[in-house]
Amino acid sequence: IDATSSAQEITLKQQLKDTNLTKKLKFYPDGHYDVEISSSKADEFFVTTGFRPNVLADNYTNHGALLKQADNTFTTVQDKDIEKIQNVVGVKIASAFDRYYSSTIYNFKSPMNVFMMPNSDKSPQIFVSVKQNFSASGYIGPKDYDLLASINPELTDIIEYGWFTFISNPMFLFLKYLYNLTGNWGWAIVLLTIIVKLVLYPLSYKGMVSMQKLKNLAPKIKDLQEKYKGDSQKLGMHMMELYKKHDANPMGGCLPIILQIPVFFAIYRVLLNAIELEGAAWILWIDNLAVMDQYFILPILMGITMYIQQRITPTTITDPIQQKMFQWLPIVFTVFFLWFPAGLTLYWFINNLFTVAQQ
């Protein structure tokens, strides 16, 4: 049947030993479908979403099962995390998902009774418990925000970003807004990075000033550590006096950075999971922001800017071993980013570039 222009229906009948099953399916042009199943006997049977569309898992994103309950709470189980069968009642959305796609059953009128069963790899499989009659809707396809929202706004909840979903979701919507302005996902990422850096600039500035003060005090701190080597109480007292005298806060450099981590990690999850970046070109050699830069230009630029940033950023590290480890970080990160999606590498490159300018 062809449902690309109008809804199409199909009826399937199956005769078992002493049970007759009838399945009515109605497919819609937007990709979702309605299903009605009736049985001649009131025995329990199960309806499954099937395993997620892409069985293979990558090391960067979440794969597994997501359930949204009637009270709008979520249960998410990732691959290799389920030891035994779990039963969740009052479920209105059940989704088996991978990085970009989902196989979903949903019912907003009559919440479902769902079982999650581990397979041989301890990965979750979804089964809906049914007695005699069952009706629901389903969707198998990309986790495209606009498409899911057009079917039902609640279905956008199957786009899952992990712990920072509550930050990542508005970040994606803002990125999407910037894309609508620029018409290009690459330039939208550049604009998002710049805007986030400007918003967080007061925090970054305080952190930089505090780190510079601590760097200037490093020789005096070292002298105090030598002078009061065997007396930690006197050392602590004199160091507090030194900090107070020079209006320096030992936590002043760390706190602004800690506050920025959730924002940066939220953007990281968005750029890693957004299917909208699949096949999206940026400039010249970047023809797909969802895959690695085949010429490694962006990772190398990211490593260079990280090295420059490290050289001009004040540090209080005095231990030679820690200093050497710190110096290797740009190389280590460059190696990691060689295989990261180009969109994510672009974000870190622009972020580093503006951090150097701010410093």
Side-chain angles (χ1 to χ4, degrees):
I1 61 174
D2 184 355
T4 54
S5 57
S6 61
Q8 300 290 332
E9 293 185 34
I10 185 172
T11 300
L12 304 173
K13 293 184 179 181
Q14 185 177 19
Q15 185 174 352
L16 305 176
K17 286 183 179 180
D18 55 355
T19 306
N20 293 323
L21 286 176
T22 301
K23 303 176 186 179
K24 293 181 179 180
L25 295 161
K26 186 174 184 179
F27 299 94
Y28 295 85
D30 58 14
H32 86 282
Y33 63 89
D34 296 331
V35 58
E36 292 183 10
I37 303 175
S38 59
S39 171
S40 61
K41 294 183 66 176
D43 293 336
E44 183 180 29
F45 62 93
F46 294 90
V47 176
T48 179
T49 59
F51 207 50
R52 60 172 180 264
N54 187 0
V55 178
L56 297 176
D58 58 68
N59 296 320
Y60 307 123
T61 58
N62 296 338
H63 304 75
L66 178 147
L67 307 180
K68 182 179 181 180
Q69 288 142 266
D71 60 0
N72 293 323
T73 57
F74 292 86
T75 299
T76 304
V77 179
Q78 295 185 34
D79 282 358
K80 301 180 181 179
D81 277 355
I82 185 168
E83 299 283 345
K84 58 184 180 180
I85 295 175
Q86 296 182 18
N87 180 212
V88 182
V89 297
V91 175
K92 54 183 177 178
I93 299 176
S95 169
F97 69 93
D98 55 51
R99 180 181 181 183
Y100 287 143
Y101 300 92
S102 170
S103 179
T104 301
I105 290 178
Y106 58 95
N107 192 328
F108 300 118
K109 295 178 180 178
S110 301
M112 302 173 289
N113 182 19
V114 174
F115 289 85
M116 287 189 290
M117 184 179 74
N119 65 4
S120 58
D121 295 325
K122 297 181 181 178
S123 298
Q125 299 180 89
I126 297 171
F127 295 91
V128 181
S129 175
V130 179
K131 283 191 176 180
Q132 197 158 13
N133 295 310
F134 174 74
S135 63
S137 295
Y139 171 80
I140 301 175
K143 295 188 289 185
D144 181 285
Y145 187 92
D146 287 342
L147 177 58
L148 293 171
S150 68
I151 299 170
N152 189 296
E154 279 200 68
L155 287 181
T156 58
D157 289 329
I158 68 176
I159 304 174
E160 196 263 350
Y161 299 110
W163 287 100
F164 293 100
T165 296
F166 68 101
I167 304 177
S168 297
N169 195 46
M171 280 291 178
F172 169 75
L173 293 177
F174 185 51
L175 178 65
K176 185 171 171 296
Y177 169 76
L178 295 175
Y179 165 74
N180 291 333
L181 290 180
T182 62
N184 182 280
W185 284 105
W187 291 117
I189 292 170
V190 172
L191 276 179
L192 175 70
T193 311
I194 295 171
I195 292 169
V196 169
K197 291 296 290 183
L198 291 175
V199 170
L200 296 177
Y201 179 72
L203 283 176
S204 302
Y205 178 76
K206 285 184 178 181
M208 290 173 182
V209 170
S210 183
M211 291 296 289
Q212 185 64 51
K213 286 182 179 180
L214 292 174
K215 181 185 177 183
N216 295 337
L217 291 176
K220 294 182 180 180
I221 292 172
K222 191 173 181 180
D223 291 341
L224 289 175
Q225 288 171 339
E226 290 292 331
K227 187 175 181 179
Y228 301 104
K229 196 171 184 179
D231 193 339
S232 58
Q233 188 174 356
K234 282 191 176 181
L235 174 62
M237 182 180 70
H238 282 85
M239 285 185 66
M240 290 304 294
E241 288 178 357
L242 183 67
Y243 290 144
K244 188 175 181 181
K245 180 180 177 181
H246 293 275
D247 192 27
N249 182 357
M251 292 298 294
C254 299
L255 188 59
I257 296 173
I258 292 172
L259 292 174
Q260 294 177 59
I261 287 175
V263 176
F264 293 145
F265 193 75
I267 296 173
Y268 162 82
R269 298 300 303 185
V270 167
L271 297 180
L272 213 52
N273 286 275
I275 192 174
E276 284 79 0
L277 299 183
E278 177 65 36
W282 181 42
I283 57 171
L284 299 177
W285 73 99
I286 302 296
D287 56 4
N288 190 345
L289 288 166
V291 300
M292 57 181 280
D293 179 351
Q294 58 183 331
Y295 299 111
F296 306 118
I297 295 174
L298 278 177
I300 292 171
L301 289 175
M302 188 279 302
I304 292 171
T305 53
M306 188 174 183
Y307 173 76
I308 297 171
Q309 176 187 336
Q310 186 188 83
R311 295 291 295 176
I312 66 175
T313 300
T315 177
T316 57
I317 298 175
T318 56
D319 182 75
I321 296 177
Q322 290 184 3
Q323 285 180 341
K324 287 183 179 180
M325 290 177 62
F326 194 64
Q327 289 169 357
W328 276 93
L329 280 180
I331 297 174
V332 173
F333 269 74
T334 300
V335 173
F336 281 155
F337 273 81
L338 289 176
W339 292 275
F340 273 25
L344 182 61
T345 311
L346 174 61
Y347 162 72
W348 280 107
F349 166 58
I350 299 298
N351 182 72
N352 288 348
L353 202 62
F354 273 78
T355 300
V356 169
Q358 288 178 347
Q359 183 64 43

